[in-house]
């Protein structure tokens, strides 16, 4: 059966925030459809990756035909390095969790990088619009309508960590902060968990790529959260080498304590 996307809002023609949200929504709807088709295991993972990637590539080409795209599931066309605008996409972040219904900790990432954007600290360009969809929750978080981060409801900090490969140093960090570790899937889900008051920080040093963090970092920044590499340097995107192995996303009041501990003890 051929998937028919909905029509984008009229404002998506000129508003990248709206387009990013619509793209993430559409890929999420497509993934929910794939998840309902009775596939399991590797077949389900591969079908989800392929379906979401193909749909997003088609829709970006249709609605922003002159923009470049960097997708986890596509070939890295180095022409993007000279482009003015680059969409950085993870069609299905948390493939393992997607393949384990009814888990909801998987996501779609859609971010836009533009040359000349930013304050100069991130090089020649920066992220300007993004959306992260959590389709199984029916939620899409976007830079167009930034999240309002509520005061923490936890008596002690909570640190989001990977289900399968939390960095070893995070246990020492948790002890220093008297924090509890909260395991979950998708990197995007972990970043957004900070903005949603499910956790207070996400600290990762186990290896990632630009598409793993671009969209969630942009949404987190728009919500007023602190974001950086684990050495405190800026997160840079649309680089020749797309490997971006570590990051910190946290409530601003925790940033100095987290970075200070890492600087002193290493990662």
């Amino acid at each position: 059966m051929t998937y028919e996307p909905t029509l984008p809002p009229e404002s998506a023609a000129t508003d990248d925030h709206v387009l990013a949200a619509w793209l993430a929504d559409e890929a999420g709807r497509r993934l929910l459809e794939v998840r309902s088709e009775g596939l399991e295991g590797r077949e389900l993972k591969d079908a989800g990756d392929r379906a979401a990637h193909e749909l997003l590539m088609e829709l970006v080409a249709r609605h922003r035909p002159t923009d470049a795209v960097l997708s986890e599931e596509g070939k890295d066309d180095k022409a993007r390095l000279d482009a003015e605008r680059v969409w950085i996409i993870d069609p299905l972040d948390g493939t393992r969790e997607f393949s384990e219904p009814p888990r909801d900790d998987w996501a779609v990432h859609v971010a836009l990088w533009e040359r000349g954007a930013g304050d100069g600290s991130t090089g020649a360009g920066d992220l300007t619009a993004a959306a992260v969809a959590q389709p199984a929750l029916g939620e899409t978080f976007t830079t167009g309508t930034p999240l309002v981060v509520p005061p923490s409801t936890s008596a002690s900090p909570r640190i989001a960590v990977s289900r399968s490969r939390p960095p070893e140093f995070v246990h020492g960090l948790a002890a220093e902060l008297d924090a509890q570790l909260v395991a979950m899937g998708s990197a995007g889900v972990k970043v957004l968990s900070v903005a949603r008051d499910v956790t207070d920080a996400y600290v990762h040093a186990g290896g990632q790529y630009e598409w793993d963090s671009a969209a969630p970092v942009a949404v987190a920044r728009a919500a007023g959260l602190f974001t950086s590499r684990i050495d405190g340097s800026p997160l840079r995107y649309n680089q020749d080498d797309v490997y971006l192995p570590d990051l910190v996303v946290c409530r601003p009041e925790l940033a100095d304590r987290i970075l200070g501990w890492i600087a002193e003890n290493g990662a």
Side-chain angles (χ1 to χ4, degrees):
M1 183 174 64
T2 302
Y3 179 79
E4 291 294 336
T6 64
L7 292 174
E10 288 187 12
S11 57
T14 56
D15 190 324
D16 293 317
H17 302 282
V18 174
L19 182 66
W22 177 74
L23 290 169
D25 281 342
E26 287 302 314
R29 290 179 61 232
R30 181 70 179 99
L31 285 165
L32 290 174
E33 182 181 85
V34 171
R35 212 185 197 194
S36 70
E37 291 173 352
L39 300 174
E40 296 181 350
R42 173 50 61 185
E43 279 191 310
L44 178 54
K45 293 177 182 179
D46 291 346
D49 283 334
R50 181 172 57 252
H53 169 72
E54 290 175 353
L55 178 63
L56 286 168
M57 293 297 288
E58 174 191 338
L59 294 179
V60 172
R62 183 185 307 172
H63 295 282
R64 295 292 190 272
T66 62
D67 293 355
V69 179
L70 171 64
S71 170
E72 178 180 15
E73 300 304 321
K75 181 181 178 181
D76 183 5
D77 183 350
K78 295 297 185 178
R80 65 179 173 78
L81 297 173
D82 297 316
E84 294 298 312
R85 292 161 51 93
V86 182
W87 293 91
I88 303 175
I89 291 170
D90 191 340
L92 173 53
D93 185 58
T95 309
R96 172 185 172 185
E97 288 73 27
F98 171 76
S99 72
E100 299 175 355
R103 293 194 70 99
D104 58 27
D105 50 343
W106 51 278
V108 178
H109 299 177
V110 177
L112 175 65
W113 176 95
E114 293 189 80
R115 188 171 306 282
D119 60 7
S121 65
T122 52
D126 208 349
L127 305 171
T128 57
V132 177
Q134 286 188 241
L137 292 181
E139 295 273 10
T140 297
F141 306 97
T142 172
T143 51
T145 308
L147 283 162
V148 176
V149 182
S152 179
T153 56
S154 177
S156 61
R158 299 153 295 178
I159 302 176
V161 295
S162 169
R163 292 174 64 201
S164 57
R165 55 184 192 282
E168 186 61 35
F169 77 87
V170 80
H171 298 284
L173 175 61
E176 172 68 18
L177 299 179
D178 191 26
Q180 54 184 303
L181 302 180
V182 183
M184 56 186 76
S186 156
V189 169
K190 288 193 278 286
V191 171
L192 269 296
S193 73
V194 184
R196 296 172 55 226
D197 188 37
V198 176
T199 65
D200 302 286
Y202 171 38
V203 184
H204 180 78
Q208 287 184 344
Y209 294 87
E210 289 189 14
W211 47 74
D212 291 309
S213 66
V217 160
V219 173
R221 286 178 184 170
L225 295 175
F226 173 85
T227 67
S228 78
R229 299 284 303 271
I230 60 171
D231 63 0
S233 63
L235 291 154
R236 294 187 171 93
Y237 295 91
N238 195 35
Q239 302 295 295
D240 185 19
D241 183 356
V242 298
Y243 186 59
L244 190 55
D246 55 72
L247 84 165
V248 174
V249 178
C250 66
R251 292 177 177 271
E253 61 268 25
L254 291 176
D256 287 346
R257 293 177 67 191
I258 290 172
L259 295 178
W261 187 91
I262 294 173
E264 184 175 339
N265 294 275

